[in-house]
Amino acid sequence: MDREVDAQPKIYTSYSLNGAWEMHYQEEKYTGTENPFHQIDVGMVIRAGWVDRSLAVIESAVPGYWEDMTEVFMQTAYFNKLRINPAYGLQQYPVTNRVPDMALPNIMGNFFYRRKFLWEQVANAPTIIHFDGVQNAVSVWLNDVFLGRHEGYSTPFDMEIPSGILRNGENTVVLSVSNYRLQGYDGEPISGLTSRAANEYTGGITRDVGIRVYHCPVRDVDIRVAEDGERVCVNVDLAENTKTDQLIWEVYDEGLLLKSGRNSGKFSFDTDGLEYWSPETPKMYTLRLICAGRELSRKFGVRRLTVEGEHFRLNGLPYYLRGICEHGYFPETVHPNHDATFYRNVIRKVKALGFNFIRFHTYIPEEEYMQAADELGILIHVESPNNTTISEWEEIVRFCRRHPSVVIYCCGNELPIDEPFIEHLRQCADIVHENTDALFSPMSALSGLEYMLEAQAEVMEEPFRHHPRRIETVASFSDLFSSYPNGQHSYFSTDVDVEKVDDWGRVYGKPRVSHEICIDGTYTNLSLKDRYKGTRVGKTEMFSSIERHLEKKGLLKKAPLYFRNSSEWQRRIRKYCFEAVRRGKQIAGYDFLGPIDTHWHTFGYDVGMMNEFYELKPGETVRNVRMYNSPTVLLNDLRRKTNFTVGEHLETNLYVSHYGRNDLFGAELTIRLSLEEEVIVRRNVRLERVENGKVSKLHQFVCDLPQIQKPGKMKLYVTLDGD
């Protein structure tokens, strides 16, 4: 057993259980409390007359996903018994029904793990077995003693080892891991993107396993920022029935000691002299707790996202959420990456495009992802798998709250909300408000409140079809809504009625973050086929079936042209949609469905401004995206009016959506209208003041169009200079 060695002594010592384990398979889920190897070993004795490999030592058992261990399992006697997800089928284009996940086939069933290890007894020290990740449920035995069963795959978790069970010398630990669907709220299946969504059946011990021996009563620390940002409140999580007045705390900026004190576990300190953390300035500090000669260090940031009416403030300043929807699609690995460098690169790319927050679609981000977000500065909307139980929701909240980047918790995606579910959501909201300084959003898109409504007397038709009582009830315990405005910002992104969507805002009374805007795709880029070589996705029909279909139609040679042309119209539609959303005075932010193409639930889901390797599509540029995806953007109300005739009036109002640090004073608006690259109208408008934190009308631009002899291309180019 390997022991971690640290320069500074931690509150615990960790002993790794990674590596080789004996493994045995059965199709049926095992939830018994008796050590299953008692029966397995008896079976081995009965068949002792021949070489039986039903119990095999797997060198890379932990950590490891079962579907990545197929070649190893081929050397076992149970290989032919492995059950493959019955939903599996090759993806082939064209298709008219739901397409199976490209990452399949996945093994489904129950694996038993066993490992022996040597132990030197540590007298009177609290001890736990720690799991960084299991998919989906695990039962644990140590020296034939049943320690318990844990169901849920979203977060790390611990199991206490009662005193006297670990012994000097050889010990044996046994695990029973099942990847069958878990039952959550009201018996409904729990489903999220890291479990392959509706396809399910990803399985394995996905991250590290180890034994931790604690040397002091400190277990964790909860750091919260007061709503006014003037104090940081700290609550030290201590082992049960313990108290200490020997707790020393220190706050550091790099190696510089800023604040210190002595306390019993619950204290606060003022933020004088501390800088705020934000996506623009992600300043981090270190809180160091010292108890019984051991220490726990935790990075933290001074930040607070609050609600003011129907808008947000971050650290007291108006703030607009410009987000991406993270779908958990990893083309090379299929499963989430565990490399912080990978996530740093992702965050740098999306920040360069102007985004300041990430919504995680029905999955909990990896620890490395959240660390990178803290370090580089981007806000996080955590969203649990659908139908998560209250117990796992509590684990999610406790796991994520240590990161200043996490500012919103949400209970899933597009589930129908009825009266019983509202009470479930109320419980979840209470847990967030009691245990964090973050905001609560009930659901991404409000089915049962603002769409998918059953015909009943309480449903109102004006100003749009909605359920007013349910909205009012959910609003009573929620801080914001992730709203689906009848698809106007998503599926119908060229048909946005800005004034109508604004008018609907009076129904909610809370900030609205528009759900999954701009769902507009391109054709598939067949040149990416070679990038998938050597991956499990590369073994599917994602590219080859499209090629066969186009070849049959005599169109394969035109595929590159189709892709480039579709990228061009997608680029134009995206700009139009983003600007229409930003012009809404009652919209407080958005999550964009398509930062990258994602093929986890269907191939050809090419909705991204980037491909799945985070490369911009043809014709798109960082500069173009930043023109409509920055804190301050210029807008107009031409809508889809882009064709004019000679002698006609060109008339448009010019607006700014301004979310900077301050109001702009003495700004200058410059307007140029060109025809075939020649400027035909130039105007300069002096603006005394542009208010921060709102959409403002700057100027009404009107001009008569000149006489021309043949059609010409016009460009309206506007700049705003101030401060």
Side-chain angles (χ1 to χ4, degrees):
M1 177 180 288
D2 299 325
R3 172 178 169 172
E4 292 181 2
V5 179
D6 299 291
Q8 297 293 331
K10 288 183 176 181
I11 60 173
Y12 62 82
T13 303
S14 182
Y15 300 85
S16 175
L17 291 173
N18 289 352
W21 290 63
E22 293 178 291
M23 291 182 67
H24 181 75
Y25 170 82
Q26 73 175 33
E27 183 178 323
E28 299 79 19
K29 177 169 60 177
Y30 183 79
T31 58
T33 58
E34 181 183 357
N35 182 347
F37 276 89
H38 290 170
Q39 298 178 8
I40 295 169
D41 289 337
V42 169
M44 297 298 105
V45 172
I46 292 174
R47 296 189 294 274
W50 56 287
V51 178
D52 192 324
R53 296 188 180 182
S54 293
L55 183 57
V57 176
I58 306 297
E59 295 296 331
S60 57
V62 177
Y65 287 93
W66 298 339
E67 51 266 33
D68 292 335
M69 300 160 67
T70 304
E71 292 185 6
V72 177
F73 290 150
M74 289 175 67
Q75 308 303 315
T76 69
Y78 52 73
F79 176 70
N80 290 331
K81 299 178 183 178
L82 298 178
R83 185 184 179 199
I84 303 302
N85 182 355
Y88 172 67
L90 279 179
Q91 293 196 2
Q92 294 190 352
Y93 186 88
V95 64
T96 56
N97 208 334
R98 185 176 182 86
V99 181
D101 190 323
M102 289 181 306
L104 301 177
N106 286 346
I107 297 165
M108 56 187 296
N110 200 112
F111 275 94
F112 303 106
Y113 296 69
R114 181 168 64 182
R115 172 180 174 142
K116 298 181 186 299
F117 62 92
L118 296 176
W119 185 258
E120 295 180 3
Q121 182 70 37
V122 180
N124 301 319
T127 307
I128 58 99
I129 182 167
H130 176 80
F131 295 85
D132 270 329
V134 175
Q135 201 123 20
N136 293 332
V138 59
S139 298
V140 184
W141 294 261
L142 182 60
N143 296 329
D144 277 346
V145 176
F146 180 61
L147 300 185
R149 179 174 175 83
H150 181 274
E151 295 190 347
Y153 58 83
S154 292
T155 70
F157 59 92
D158 301 331
M159 284 192 185
E160 183 180 353
I161 300 175
S163 177
I165 293 178
L166 268 172
R167 52 186 180 235
N168 284 318
E170 188 175 80
N171 293 261
T172 302
V173 60
V174 168
L175 311 175
S176 173
V177 178
S178 162
N179 68 338
Y180 284 102
R181 288 187 179 186
L182 299 174
Q183 286 189 333
Y185 164 78
D186 199 30
E188 294 293 320
I190 296 173
S191 176
L193 294 196
T194 51
S195 66
R196 315 315 304 162
N199 297 292
E200 297 284 339
Y201 301 123
T202 288
I205 299 175
T206 60
R207 301 202 62 161
D208 298 339
V209 178
I211 293 177
R212 292 180 178 178
V213 179
Y214 281 88
H215 307 289
C216 71
V218 175
R219 293 296 179 267
D220 200 358
V221 59
D222 170 25
I223 305 172
R224 305 182 205 175
V225 178
E227 190 165 352
D228 60 9
E230 294 184 358
R231 296 199 70 77
V232 174
C233 304
V234 180
N235 186 24
V236 182
D237 183 7
L238 300 170
E240 289 186 12
N241 303 318
T242 62
K243 294 182 179 180
T244 177
D245 56 3
Q246 299 298 315
L247 185 68
I248 298 170
W249 61 269
E250 300 169 337
V251 175
Y252 286 88
D253 180 4
E254 304 288 338
L256 179 64
L257 177 64
L258 302 179
K259 301 174 186 288
S260 64
R262 187 183 294 270
N263 206 279
S264 60
K266 193 170 185 178
F267 59 95
S268 66
F269 54 87
D270 62 58
T271 57
D272 291 346
L274 303 183
E275 299 175 32
Y276 283 124
W277 182 100
S278 72
E280 294 72 32
T281 56
K283 179 63 178 179
M284 297 285 286
Y285 297 95
T286 300
L287 174 66
R288 184 174 180 236
L289 300 172
I290 305 170
C291 180
R294 297 278 173 163
E295 78 166 59
L296 170 65
S297 292
R298 179 64 47 78
K299 294 278 189 181
F300 73 96
V302 180
R303 65 89 189 92
R304 188 68 187 258
L305 184 69
T306 57
V307 168
E308 186 176 273
E310 296 174 345
H311 297 277
F312 296 113
R313 285 183 173 266
L314 180 63
N315 305 328
L317 295 176
Y319 208 75
Y320 193 95
L321 296 181
R322 310 181 306 276
I324 64 167
C325 181
E326 167 63 88
H327 276 77
Y329 181 68
F330 302 92
E332 296 95 343
T333 60
V334 176
H335 304 298
N337 202 301
H338 297 162
D339 180 9
T341 300
F342 173 85
Y343 294 119
R344 290 190 192 103
N345 290 335
V346 169
I347 290 172
R348 287 189 182 103
K349 289 189 176 183
V350 298
K351 284 193 69 175
L353 292 164
F355 294 101
N356 61 18
F357 99 100
I358 303 175
R359 171 201 162 207
F360 286 81
H361 187 305
T362 61
Y363 87 91
I364 306 307
E366 299 294 292
E367 173 70 14
E368 294 85 354
Y369 211 151
M370 291 188 284
Q371 288 177 357
D374 295 343
E375 172 191 329
L376 297 178
I378 199 161
L379 301 175
I380 287 179
H381 159 128
V382 165
E383 186 171 289
S384 70
N386 284 339
N387 298 308
T388 293
T389 61
I390 291 295
S391 60
E392 187 167 12
W393 177 256
E394 291 176 330
E395 292 179 344
I396 289 168
V397 170
R398 290 179 65 85
F399 173 55
C400 296
R401 71 181 180 181
R402 66 184 62 179
H403 295 281
S405 53
V406 176
V407 293
I408 297 172
Y409 290 85
C410 177
C411 289
N413 178 68
E414 299 177 10
L415 290 180
I417 300 173
D418 57 13
E419 276 64 30
F421 196 51
I422 287 174
E423 292 312 305
H424 172 78
L425 293 174
R426 188 192 301 274
Q427 283 184 269
C428 294
D430 289 344
I431 291 167
V432 171
H433 293 143
E434 291 167 8
N435 292 280
T436 79
D437 56 11
L439 303 180
F440 177 75
S441 173
M443 183 66 53
S444 284
L446 304 171
S447 175
L449 274 64
E450 60 179 2
Y451 73 105
M452 298 294 288
L453 295 164
E454 301 172 1
Q456 51 184 288
E458 291 186 88
V459 172
M460 294 186 64
E461 302 295 331
E462 296 296 335
F464 68 104
R465 198 161 193 268
H466 67 285
H467 198 300
R469 181 181 56 78
R470 285 180 181 172
I471 289 178
E472 183 179 3
T473 303
V474 175
S476 69
F477 56 78
S478 300
D479 302 297
L480 68 143
F481 286 125
S482 177
S483 174
Y484 173 75
N486 286 323
Q488 287 218 11
H489 293 163
S490 53
Y491 289 108
F492 313 112
S493 53
T494 61
D495 227 5
V496 185
D497 188 327
V498 176
E499 289 73 23
K500 181 183 289 186
V501 175
D502 262 355
D503 184 49
W504 295 346
R506 58 189 166 91
V507 167
Y508 298 87
K510 298 283 181 179
R512 287 183 295 161
V513 177
S514 198
H515 171 73
E516 296 182 0
I517 72 167
C518 202
I519 304 178
D520 298 287
T522 65
Y523 289 110
T524 297
N525 183 2
L526 298 181
S527 71
L528 296 179
K529 179 179 179 179
D530 290 343
R531 303 278 287 274
Y532 281 93
K533 282 185 176 178
T535 71
R536 280 196 287 125
V537 176
K539 298 175 183 177
T540 68
E541 292 279 276
M542 183 169 78
F543 292 102
S544 55
S545 65
I546 298 175
E547 290 174 331
R548 286 196 304 270
H549 178 74
L550 292 175
E551 184 72 48
K552 183 178 178 181
K553 301 295 184 181
L555 297 172
L556 184 57
K557 290 183 179 180
K558 293 186 177 181
L561 175 64
Y562 290 169
F563 170 67
R564 288 195 305 273
N565 287 348
S566 65
S567 295
E568 177 62 22
W569 63 252
Q570 184 202 44
R571 180 181 69 83
R572 298 182 185 208
I573 290 174
R574 181 166 53 244
K575 183 174 188 294
Y576 179 89
C577 177
F578 271 70
E579 291 179 347
V581 177
R582 283 299 293 265
R583 198 156 61 82
K585 296 180 179 180
Q586 300 301 319
I587 296 293
Y590 49 78
D591 77 86
F592 169 44
L593 183 71
I596 64 169
D597 295 340
T598 56
H599 307 294
W600 63 267
H601 72 325
T602 180
F603 65 92
Y605 200 57
D606 301 288
V607 296
M609 66 170 62
M610 295 180 282
N611 64 29
E612 56 266 45
F613 301 98
Y614 289 89
E615 299 159 342
L616 286 169
K617 289 184 176 177
E620 190 58 278
T621 65
V622 171
R623 180 179 182 275
N624 181 60
V625 176
R626 290 298 293 258
M627 282 201 294
Y628 56 77
N629 192 44
S630 289
T632 299
V633 295
L634 291 168
L635 308 162
N636 68 71
D637 59 4
L638 281 170
R639 302 180 189 260
R640 291 188 295 178
K641 174 71 171 172
T642 57
N643 295 312
F644 295 84
T645 57
V646 295
E648 187 178 354
H649 270 326
L650 189 158
E651 182 175 325
T652 181
N653 292 310
L654 301 177
Y655 304 85
V656 65
S657 175
H658 176 45
Y659 285 84
R661 294 191 60 83
N662 304 292
D663 294 351
L664 300 180
F665 293 95
E668 185 173 20
L669 190 71
T670 302
I671 306 165
R672 297 200 306 271
L673 180 66
S674 64
L675 175 62
E676 293 298 332
E677 306 300 328
E678 179 184 350
V679 177
I680 58 174
V681 179
R682 184 192 300 272
R683 290 182 190 157
N684 294 306
V685 180
R686 188 75 172 173
L687 303 168
E688 290 187 9
R689 180 187 179 192
V690 177
E691 277 192 72
N692 189 31
K694 62 186 298 186
V695 178
S696 302
K697 179 180 174 182
L698 301 178
H699 179 68
Q700 184 180 39
F701 176 72
V702 180
C703 74
D704 291 328
L705 297 177
Q707 298 291 325
I708 56 174
Q709 301 303 313
K710 61 180 181 179
K713 177 181 176 181
M714 292 190 296
K715 176 185 277 190
L716 179 64
Y717 191 81
V718 182
T719 62
L720 178 67
D721 294 303
D723 291 353

